[in-house]
Amino acid sequence: MAHRVTGVLIFFFLFVHVLDTALVRVSPEAYDKVVATYKTPIVALLEYGLVAAILFHALNGLRVIAVDFWSKGPRYQKQMFWTVMGVWVVLMLGAIYPVLGHAARVLFGS
């Protein structure tokens, strides 16, 4: 279920991203205003959520492929799921500073 939810969320992000990028042709000033809102701490949290969704979807997708195409995949499905979750947590911890560092500096100073 989480794989499907993250897939839909990523799709909607890509849709909005295409729309806001297309805005540059319609009104460069409006595009600049939209891009300026992306530098707020709230949007940084949303970006962290996007990273979480993409990483989970990618790692779980590899697990789904292994379950489908590896003859022993169904037998090790539970272990592979917990491995995916462990790798996901480690990668998400590593993404905290690169994604949220600017937001922390804005909120708490340098």
Side-chain angles (χ1 to χ4, degrees), residues 20-108:
D20 73 3
T21 303
L23 188 61
V24 76
R25 290 185 155 268
V26 176
S27 172
E29 295 81 21
Y31 174 78
D32 290 339
K33 288 180 184 176
V34 169
V35 169
T37 63
Y38 292 163
K39 297 175 183 173
T40 64
I42 291 172
V43 174
L45 285 173
L46 293 173
E47 286 177 345
Y48 190 70
L50 176 64
V51 170
I54 290 171
L55 279 175
F56 176 80
H57 192 79
L59 293 170
N60 193 56
L62 293 174
R63 183 191 67 84
V64 168
I65 289 170
V67 168
D68 287 347
F69 293 106
W70 181 35
S71 62
K72 296 180 184 178
R75 184 180 315 147
Y76 295 108
Q77 187 171 185
K78 191 173 188 176
Q79 292 90 337
M80 287 189 290
F81 173 76
W82 289 112
T83 301
V84 162
M85 292 307 294
V87 171
W88 180 77
V89 166
V90 168
L91 291 174
M92 288 308 298
L93 289 172
I96 289 174
Y97 182 75
V99 178
L100 296 176
H102 175 72
R105 287 187 296 278
V106 167
L107 289 174
F108 306 114

